[in-house]
Amino acid sequence: MTTTSVSRPAPFPFSAIVGQDEMKLALLIAAVDQSVGGVLVFGDRGTGKSTAVRALAALLPPMRAVAGCPYGCEPDRPAGLCEACRGAGKLKSVQVPVPVVDLPLGATEDRVVGALDLERALAHGVKAFEPGLLARAHRGFLYIDEVNLLEDHLVDLLLDVAASGENVVEREGLSVRHPARFVLVGSGNPEEGELRPQLLDRFGLSLEVRTPGDLKVRVEVVRRRDAYDRDPEAFSARFKAEESKVRRRIVAARERLPSVVVSDAALERAADLCMRLGTDGLRGELTLMRAARALAALDGDAAVSDEHLKRVAPSALRHRLRRDPLDDTGSTTRVERALAEMFAA
Amino acid sequence: MNGPGDAGSRVWADAVLAATLCAIDPAGLGGVALRARAGPVRDRWVETLRAHLPEDAPVRTIPLHIADGRLLGGLDLAATLQAGRPVAERGVLSEVHGGIALLAMAERVSEATAARISSALDRGELHVERDGLALHIPARFGVIAFDEGAEPDERPPSSLIDRLAFHIDLERVSMRDLADAAAVTADLVAARAGLPNVRASDAVFEALTATAMALGIASLRAVHFALRAACVSAALAGRTIVAEEDAVIAGRLVFAARATQLPAPPAGPADEQEAPTPSQADEQDGAEQRDPLDRPLDDLVLEAAKAALPAALLAQLAAGQGQSSQGGSGGRAGALKQSRLRGRPAGTRRGEPRGGARLNVVETLRNAAPWQPLRRREQGRSEAAARIDVRPEDFRVTRFKQRAQTTTIFVVDASGSSALHRLAEAKGAVELLLAQSYVRRDQVALIAFRGERAELLLPPTRSLVRAKRSLAGLPGGGGTPLAAGLDAAAALVDGVRRKGETPSVILLTDGRANIARDGKPGRPQAEADAQSAARRFRVAGVAAIVLDTSPRPQPQAEQLAREMGARYLPLPHADANALSVAVRAVVPRRS
């Protein structure tokens, strides 16, 4: 594969993002428990949507992967190995950064799913598979900025892979299948078009971000951005301690996660809430529960409480409400209203 | 002082200043959205910009319908075949690194192209995943978006505009205004060198942020650009600290065109926020300790920005018709979608690049690749021969989904007679249908008629958010100018057809016309006019439905449907499902 790279400055630190707490929390939840599903960030222009996602990448603790495996297989999970690793016998593992892969607009299908390696085929007549972005994103995050502008045929492809956790390539005489489980992170501006409902449903958490309305906060946002633009390295260094604090929080939450207790009462609450809101399918309940559990782990709590449910419910449910043509209320308000009713009862 | 010529030369002077600032730091400022027809004034402006750019800075034009391969880069066919291995070709966006990209006819550029350019602007690099290539190429550049829109609504995609610091309108500038503009003689090389050292005080940060809020500018990018512009302006003057006049210039150049509201006249901008008591007190404390120039700076910047507001906008804002401050400004996703007509790539198939079919080079090479050793042997050539043997059976052409785009035009009777009964329900029905249209990726448009005339509330769009917003703001009451409504719909049908799209019409009315074509009341003439207007639809063969919104089905509406060649449906009482089933049967489904 022909690859070039430019040296890039340190990303804007996650902990230096002013406000936008819901967005930061959702990304942390996804980092603690990937099974929560993807995160969709919709909102105004210039609110730092993509900044936050790129900042998260720098924050994630490294993971163990099979050395030399193009898919970064997890050595301790035999069921999820790719074919090559399964047949390899004893596996050597190395520490690698968690992949956060950008799917740029204008990407072609061959780069997304992977295709015949043109260079080797032309030069040596060898039929070799060149893994695509989906392979690189395995066990990590796949980020799509302006997700609502993604071409339909790529959306179809993503839906298929996201549902099965496996990428099946049948093209140019190649027949390859490899694991591809990733957290889908999308961002966009609703003014530029809607998201297909099928894709919307793939995202575990969905949030709406707005430009902060408070003057002081706004000044601080502009000031930090300016400081970062002037000297990214120095600015990042200023937040180094904060960054490692967040990283430790993620690591601790991951360790705590399996032991967080989800009581029957909490399950009932979640089911009740979903029923009140008339969400489609079970995915809403499942996501709500998992997100609340991850939040409890982040907070260092031993069990999921009503408070956790309340905090994650808007993100977990607002994009799953059925559109009621006769009700113009925003979906966030509807979730909040249902929460208020439930806890009043 | 306020003669038209005078205003023109002031605008021109600002335009030249913007060109100068942009030439000093194109990447930092993003560029300029330039509203002007092609002509001598625009040419002069571009010349000015070019003259200020460093000599080696690249300037490239991005044509309207540029393909991704040229914009972003991809595989270089000739070089690849020559070399026998993949050779990357650079796209326009990487070629302009360090310079300026000129975007022609930006008001018609597709959202997709705009998003690709925006992404490069945001990151200062180009990320390409195409044709077997994965590239990260530095791409720091400025964009000059030529906006030749004729209508106020015809503007470049707002996502792109938001990323350009300056928005300049040269429509009213004539050649006469250009004469007395003094050439900038400052040392631009020194300005460029000095820029990294320019600092802004806290007062400047606060003044710019507060001004943006007072003018209802939601995006923080605007503040960022204003700050940057102030720094560049300071560097131009050889200063290392941003001075008052720099902030004033920044306010005028960056904020004026973005304003969505006028600040409350007597109160200072800081009072615009909901001002909780503690922060208010805080601010006052701070103000006393700070430089005495601090408070006036807000006002100075604000005044400068206000003075530069275009007159038309000013009137609109004063009348309280400003766009909503939360991101609604200039959003016109729908009308731009037409450039998608060339279809979306939907895989490839075997075939020859004839009759307009586009050869997909990469897929062709991929298909030829496995056969190379065999073909070489066949021809008795040596294994090492670099030439690639591509045969006709290897050709792959890109398949485009060439479905006709469907545009559903809602024509809603918002007159008193309808409103009394069921305008709310009609709105509900329209929303339901909108939701369906959007699931099908159709475009929707909304026309409402009441009083004496019909109004196109929403030009064809795919944004549900915008559609819902314009529907929610639909008032009811007044007479029923049914003929005017139908005429407006017919005009839109023509427009949609001209774009090669398939229109369908959904008319919601009780059919009781009482305003004639000429705007005069009178039931018989109004009904005759409506019938004749309706007949045009039958002649044109437009798929249409008439939804009768009267409490009990009326003969008038049914008669109207017959004349239109439309299907007639009494609006089922609060039965959304029945409605959607009925509509689905009429609105053409795409294949």
Side-chain angles (χ1 to χ4, degrees):
Chain A
M1 180 167 64
T2 313
T3 318
T4 65
S5 58
V6 287
S7 64
R8 258 164 287 170
F12 194 87
F14 192 79
S15 43
I17 297 168
V18 185
Q20 311 295 12
D21 294 331
E22 197 189 3
M23 171 166 72
K24 285 193 278 189
L25 184 63
L27 288 172
L28 288 180
I29 287 175
V32 169
D33 183 2
Q34 301 207 345
S35 70
V36 166
V39 178
L40 177 68
V41 190
F42 253 31
D44 298 341
R45 278 175 278 279
T47 41
K49 296 177 294 246
S50 29
T51 306
V53 179
R54 302 213 165 95
L56 180 75
L59 199 64
L60 295 167
M63 62 181 195
R64 298 204 73 77
V66 175
C69 173
Y71 313 111
C73 281
E74 195 175 348
D76 312 325
R77 225 173 128 258
L81 292 178
C82 70
E83 274 164 36
C85 292
R86 219 174 292 162
K90 181 131 177 61
L91 298 167
K92 208 170 145 245
S93 74
V94 284
Q95 290 262 358
V96 293
V98 174
V100 177
V101 176
D102 250 302
L103 175 56
L105 289 177
T108 52
E109 195 179 314
D110 62 306
R111 282 300 306 136
V112 178
V113 294
L116 183 72
D117 186 333
L118 206 54
E119 183 156 8
R120 294 177 65 189
L122 287 177
H124 313 292
V126 179
K127 200 160 90 175
F129 179 66
E130 180 189 309
L133 295 175
L134 294 179
R136 240 197 289 155
H138 179 48
R139 300 181 60 205
F141 294 74
L142 185 68
Y143 175 51
I144 313 167
D145 193 10
E146 307 283 3
V147 61
N148 42 350
L149 296 179
L150 193 67
E151 275 110 1
D152 271 357
H153 70 281
L154 290 182
V155 172
D156 294 342
L157 219 144
L158 282 181
L159 286 176
D160 186 35
V161 175
S164 63
E166 190 178 49
N167 181 26
V168 181
V169 185
E170 295 287 349
R171 46 186 290 161
E172 294 129 13
L174 290 168
S175 179
V176 176
R177 57 174 58 212
H178 67 79
R181 280 184 310 277
F182 47 83
V183 177
L184 207 54
V185 181
S187 65
N189 184 326
E191 291 272 326
E192 279 147 26
E194 308 274 338
L195 212 57
R196 264 178 39 204
Q198 298 92 322
L199 186 56
L200 198 58
D201 192 48
R202 278 284 140 210
F203 290 99
L205 306 173
S206 126
L207 357 131
E208 294 155 11
V209 289
R210 294 196 166 280
T211 313
D214 180 67
L215 180 65
K216 287 214 148 101
V217 177
R218 292 177 69 132
V219 171
E220 190 54 32
V221 173
V222 176
R223 209 192 303 259
R224 286 192 183 181
R225 186 83 230 175
D226 183 61
Y228 171 75
D229 284 349
R230 282 176 187 282
D231 190 349
E233 307 302 330
F235 185 75
S236 302
R238 249 172 69 198
F239 286 88
K240 210 168 165 213
E242 296 252 356
E243 290 286 279
S244 37
K245 213 167 102 193
V246 181
R247 190 176 296 125
R248 281 199 301 276
R249 193 171 164 214
I250 296 177
V251 175
R254 280 189 185 160
E255 274 164 17
R256 182 181 284 273
L257 187 67
S259 61
V260 172
V261 178
V262 183
S263 66
D264 286 351
L267 282 172
E268 264 172 44
R269 286 277 201 206
D272 185 11
L273 185 63
C274 291
M275 259 162 56
R276 277 168 196 270
L277 285 163
T279 55
D280 292 332
L282 275 175
R283 210 194 289 270
E285 267 171 73
L286 214 56
T287 310
L288 179 59
M289 224 41 261
R290 283 179 178 156
R293 196 175 55 189
L295 177 61
L298 275 169
D299 284 354
D301 293 329
V304 171
S305 71
D306 286 354
E307 200 49 43
H308 298 131
L309 278 177
K310 261 196 232 174
R311 273 167 65 198
V312 294
S315 319
L317 299 178
R318 65 159 71 88
H319 55 303
R320 301 175 202 277
L321 307 188
R322 260 196 216 133
R323 281 168 198 269
D324 181 348
L326 300 179
D327 184 356
D328 204 34
T329 322
S331 39
T332 309
T333 323
R334 280 167 66 191
V335 175
E336 277 163 4
R337 207 161 54 192
L339 278 170
E341 275 171 21
M342 191 172 87
F343 286 104
Chain B
M1 265 311 272
N2 284 327
D6 214 37
S9 54
R10 268 207 308 271
V11 171
W12 176 253
D14 272 353
V16 169
L17 183 55
T20 313
L21 297 182
C22 186
I24 295 173
D25 184 21
L29 291 167
V32 180
L34 189 71
R35 194 167 173 94
R37 310 278 167 81
V41 176
R42 196 177 91 179
D43 291 347
R44 179 76 80 81
W45 189 87
V46 175
E47 270 169 38
T48 313
L49 175 72
R50 272 179 192 260
H52 290 144
L53 282 171
E55 259 171 34
D56 56 343
V59 178
R60 297 267 187 287
T61 298
I62 301 178
L64 179 57
H65 290 301
I66 189 166
D68 276 352
R70 271 310 295 146
L71 185 69
L72 304 169
L75 201 71
D76 184 333
L77 173 62
T80 300
L81 291 179
Q82 189 81 45
R85 61 179 175 79
V87 177
E89 172 194 40
R90 300 222 293 163
V92 176
L93 291 186
S94 63
E95 287 169 4
V96 294
H97 177 53
I100 295 271
L102 306 173
L103 186 57
M105 298 179 78
E107 80 283 0
R108 292 172 54 83
V109 82
S110 68
E111 291 281 350
T113 303
R116 286 155 177 70
I117 299 174
S118 302
S119 151
L121 281 172
D122 279 357
R123 298 203 229 164
E125 72 162 29
L126 200 59
H127 180 192
V128 183
E129 295 283 349
R130 299 178 53 76
D131 305 345
L133 305 167
L135 310 168
H136 287 272
I137 313 165
R140 290 181 53 73
F141 58 91
V143 172
I144 308 298
F146 293 124
D147 171 5
E148 299 167 22
E151 305 294 324
D153 200 30
E154 234 177 321
R155 298 198 61 204
S158 42
S159 57
L160 179 63
I161 291 294
D162 192 50
R163 290 175 167 90
L164 310 183
F166 306 123
H167 301 173
I168 296 170
D169 191 339
L170 293 181
E171 295 272 86
R172 287 165 192 279
V173 176
S174 69
M175 279 306 280
R176 210 154 37 91
D177 302 323
L178 273 54
D180 50 337
V184 179
T185 50
D187 185 352
L188 299 186
V189 178
R192 264 177 217 117
L195 181 58
N197 304 320
V198 179
R199 292 279 180 278
S201 66
D202 283 357
V204 170
F205 274 95
E206 275 163 36
L208 291 176
T209 313
T211 308
M213 273 185 87
L215 290 168
I217 301 168
S219 172
L220 281 176
R221 264 200 203 103
V223 183
H224 186 72
F225 281 137
L227 185 68
R228 190 78 190 167
C231 289
V232 178
S233 162
L236 184 61
R239 283 186 281 270
T240 55
I241 301 286
V242 171
E244 192 180 290
E245 55 189 287
D246 300 320
V248 168
I249 287 174
R252 201 169 70 217
L253 293 182
V254 177
F255 290 149
R258 285 179 160 91
T260 65
Q261 73 184 35
L262 280 180
D271 301 330
E272 278 287 299
Q273 50 178 311
E274 313 93 7
T277 16
S279 95
Q280 184 84 333
D282 233 32
E283 206 144 293
Q284 249 133 44
D285 286 351
E288 277 162 20
Q289 289 155 15
R290 275 191 238 122
D291 189 39
L293 273 174
D294 167 44
R295 287 312 301 167
L297 187 55
D298 283 22
D299 297 342
L300 276 173
V301 176
L302 190 60
E303 277 311 311
K306 258 166 74 182
L309 286 177
L313 181 64
L314 204 60
Q316 198 189 6
L317 295 176
Q321 292 174 340
Q323 303 106 323
S324 77
S325 58
Q326 282 294 355
S329 57
R332 48 182 314 282
L336 296 155
K337 293 279 156 78
Q338 48 183 280
S339 54
R340 292 237 177 123
L341 280 181
R342 57 197 159 121
R344 298 176 187 192
T348 55
R349 65 178 167 80
R350 178 180 289 204
E352 291 191 29
R354 272 188 211 147
R358 275 210 230 167
L359 180 72
N360 188 316
V361 177
V362 180
E363 294 304 319
T364 302
L365 287 179
R366 282 221 169 86
N367 274 289
W371 301 100
Q372 294 307 309
L374 197 66
R375 286 177 187 170
R376 279 179 202 141
R377 271 201 294 280
E378 239 175 56
Q379 299 202 339
R381 283 191 287 121
S382 76
E383 283 285 321
R387 212 179 72 84
I388 297 163
D389 191 351
V390 177
R391 302 194 177 169
E393 66 263 29
D394 299 326
F395 285 156
R396 292 291 182 279
V397 294
T398 305
R399 235 169 13 160
F400 287 102
K401 255 190 202 162
Q402 279 290 5
R403 59 152 192 269
Q405 173 83 49
T406 304
T407 302
T408 308
I409 303 167
F410 291 94
V411 188
V412 180
D413 180 351
S415 67
S417 60
S418 267
L420 265 184
H421 303 312
R422 336 196 10 213
L423 183 59
E425 259 175 73
K427 280 186 187 178
V430 172
E431 267 205 26
L432 181 80
L433 298 172
L434 279 173
Q436 279 180 3
S437 302
Y438 121 82
V439 169
R440 288 199 312 258
R441 316 297 281 173
D442 289 352
Q443 300 206 86
V444 295
L446 182 63
I447 293 173
F449 58 94
R450 60 185 280 265
E452 278 159 23
R453 58 202 179 82
E455 197 184 346
L456 177 63
L457 286 179
L458 182 72
T461 176
R462 210 178 277 148
S463 165
L464 193 63
V465 179
R466 296 186 63 213
K468 284 176 82 162
R469 199 185 296 149
S470 65
L471 191 65
L474 176 63
T480 312
L482 187 50
L486 288 170
D487 285 345
L492 189 57
V493 161
D494 279 350
V496 168
R497 284 216 165 135
R498 266 204 300 276
K499 280 190 245 162
E501 299 168 4
T502 312
S504 58
V505 174
I506 298 180
L507 171 65
L508 292 97
T509 182
D510 57 2
R512 300 166 65 130
N514 58 15
I515 305 286
R517 260 213 183 95
D518 53 12
K520 294 217 177 74
R523 200 169 284 278
Q525 185 56 40
E527 280 183 359
D529 282 355
Q531 306 273 352
S532 80
R535 255 168 248 137
R536 285 173 63 187
F537 286 87
R538 194 174 53 192
V539 174
V542 182
I545 312 178
V546 175
L547 286 174
D548 190 345
T549 55
S550 47
R552 267 184 301 277
Q554 297 286 319
Q556 286 102 321
E558 202 169 352
Q559 169 72 15
L560 188 75
R562 257 202 306 281
E563 292 292 346
M564 279 178 80
R567 189 166 161 177
Y568 170 78
L569 273 178
L571 178 60
H573 269 281
D575 185 354
N577 275 332
L579 182 69
S580 89
V581 168
V583 171
R584 235 175 322 185
V586 178
V587 176
R589 314 233 36 197
R590 69 168 208 225
S591 55

